[in-house]
Amino acid sequence: MESLSAELKALAVRTQDALVCIEGGQDGEFYKATGTIIRADGMILTLARPLARVKQVRVYLRDGRAFPGEVVARDPMNDLAVVRIQAKGLR
């Protein structure tokens, strides 16, 4: 069990920079989600449900930068969505 705990901690450290916060709003409603950078060119995987009613979002990276983003794909059956931001060299 101790070995598994160490492995999970190492994984968390390696992947923490890929985590993002996603915010969007429409018609007076505000939506917030988390996501994971899946491609260095700005593709982010997130849950579809929190962003079901929005197309434009704002994405906050762990390093403090923020980017406008667009929901470019949704898979409601699996509750997944893809958001695109205009950024390069993401991890």
Side-chain angles (χ1 to χ4, degrees):
M1 189 68 153
E2 200 170 299
S3 174
L4 178 60
S5 181
E7 288 178 42
L8 289 174
K9 183 177 179 181
L11 177 63
V13 169
R14 283 196 316 270
T15 60
Q16 67 185 356
D17 288 339
L19 299 177
V20 301
C21 178
I22 304 167
E23 296 179 348
Q26 182 174 317
D27 300 327
E29 294 187 37
F30 182 73
Y31 306 96
K32 195 168 195 175
T34 58
T36 303
I37 298 167
I38 57 172
R39 286 194 355 206
D41 63 351
M43 299 301 259
I44 298 164
L45 184 66
T46 187
L47 295 176
R49 197 171 355 115
L51 304 176
R53 295 190 174 115
V54 297
K55 181 82 170 149
Q56 304 300 317
V57 295
R58 188 128 186 102
V59 177
Y60 298 89
L61 305 184
R62 187 167 168 83
D63 64 9
R65 293 182 292 163
F67 295 88
E70 178 181 10
V71 180
V72 294
R74 286 187 177 88
D75 178 355
M77 294 286 287
N78 292 301
D79 194 22
L80 295 173
V82 176
V83 172
R84 179 188 304 138
I85 61 173
Q86 297 298 315
K88 303 263 187 243
L90 299 176
R91 304 188 280 147

